[in-house]
Amino acid sequence: MKLKDNENLVVLGIFLGVTGVLSALVLAVVSTLTARPIAEAKASRETSALKQVLPEFDNDINAKVCKLKSPAGYDVFIRQARKNGKVAGYAVLLTNPAGYAGNISMLAGVEPDGKIRAVLITEQHETPGLGAELCKREHKKTIFNLTESAPAGLAPNKYLDQYAGKSVPAGGWKITKDGGTALYATGATVTSRALAQSASEIALTFKKYRKKIIASFGGAK
């Protein structure tokens, strides 16, 4: 190899090295600049979701989180909502890997007595037009309400609303196809089962560990 060729390789190596360092620095700077806005946006979405499934509260609901295992072994994260110092309810989050396309994360507002108040799906990857429709809460627009603002509160969803105001049966909820009472959608049976199981795991966990949960937040007041 000629000397000139060696010099070219050295120059090329230096150039690539400098380019790599500069690229890493740019990525680091961009990551630093965007990390806070991304975190703030995520926190805002989480707070919005909590407000949708819980009654009005005035405490720092994220100050303490109680983590437990559901009967099926799923991680359950519980937050306590308070209003004027009194327990208003609990927010319970569970991620179920048994969806048709993977994880389905369900956030439920739970009354102090253990009944589910409201259910919201915060993450899902189900098939559009099928399983995904069971997880959505959207106020439908028609020619009669195009100019109107969306109503306050959760949009109706019969597959999620069917658990509200109910105490969980001993064996949990099952879809009617499996001999239970929970509604399911033809063509989205797997998603329907996952939703029924998620609601069941949330309610059964709260029922099983109710005293422990209350004690972890300083007792019932």
Side-chain angles (χ1 to χ4, degrees):
M1 183 179 290
K2 297 180 180 180
L3 181 60
K4 188 175 182 180
D5 292 336
N6 287 333
E7 292 175 347
N8 289 337
L9 287 175
V10 171
V11 172
L12 179 60
I14 294 173
F15 174 77
L16 292 174
V18 171
T19 301
V21 171
L22 290 175
S23 298
L25 288 173
V26 170
L27 289 173
V29 171
V30 171
S31 178
T32 300
L33 292 176
T34 59
R36 184 173 179 179
I38 290 174
E40 289 176 346
K42 181 181 179 182
S44 178
R45 290 194 300 270
E46 291 176 348
T47 300
S48 176
L50 290 168
K51 288 181 178 179
Q52 291 183 74
V53 299
L54 289 167
E56 187 176 349
F57 59 90
D58 56 16
N59 65 311
D60 180 3
I61 196 169
N62 293 309
K64 180 176 178 58
V65 180
C66 176
K67 182 180 177 181
L68 297 169
K69 287 286 186 181
S70 77
Y74 303 144
D75 287 335
V76 177
F77 300 90
I78 303 171
R79 294 170 171 81
Q80 187 187 71
R82 288 177 174 265
K83 177 67 175 178
N84 296 326
K86 294 183 178 180
V87 178
Y90 295 85
V92 186
L93 177 67
L94 176 144
T95 297
N96 189 341
Y100 183 79
N103 289 343
I104 295 179
S105 294
M106 178 179 283
L107 177 68
V110 178
E111 303 285 3
D113 64 1
K115 291 181 180 178
I116 288 182
R117 182 177 188 274
V119 170
L120 185 68
I121 302 303
T122 59
E123 177 192 2
Q124 56 89 14
H125 310 280
E126 302 302 275
T127 306
L130 291 173
E133 296 305 307
L134 278 64
C135 302
K136 291 181 179 178
R137 285 191 179 275
E138 293 180 345
H139 291 287
K140 303 295 184 182
K141 285 289 186 180
T142 69
I143 59 173
F144 302 106
N145 64 1
L146 282 176
T147 60
E148 297 178 3
S149 300
L154 288 173
N157 178 318
K158 64 181 181 180
Y159 299 104
L160 301 178
D161 292 336
Q162 63 182 320
Y163 305 108
K166 296 179 181 177
S167 297
V168 63
W173 286 291
K174 295 180 181 180
I175 61 174
T176 54
K177 188 175 183 178
D178 297 334
T181 59
L183 298 174
Y184 80 100
T186 303
T189 305
V190 175
T191 305
S192 301
R193 286 194 181 109
L195 294 178
Q197 185 192 31
S198 296
S200 298
E201 290 295 295
I202 285 173
L204 289 171
T205 300
F206 193 88
K207 182 178 181 180
K208 181 178 180 180
Y209 297 107
R210 184 171 178 273
K211 291 183 179 179
K212 181 177 181 179
I213 293 168
I214 292 174
S216 71
F217 290 101
K221 294 180 182 178

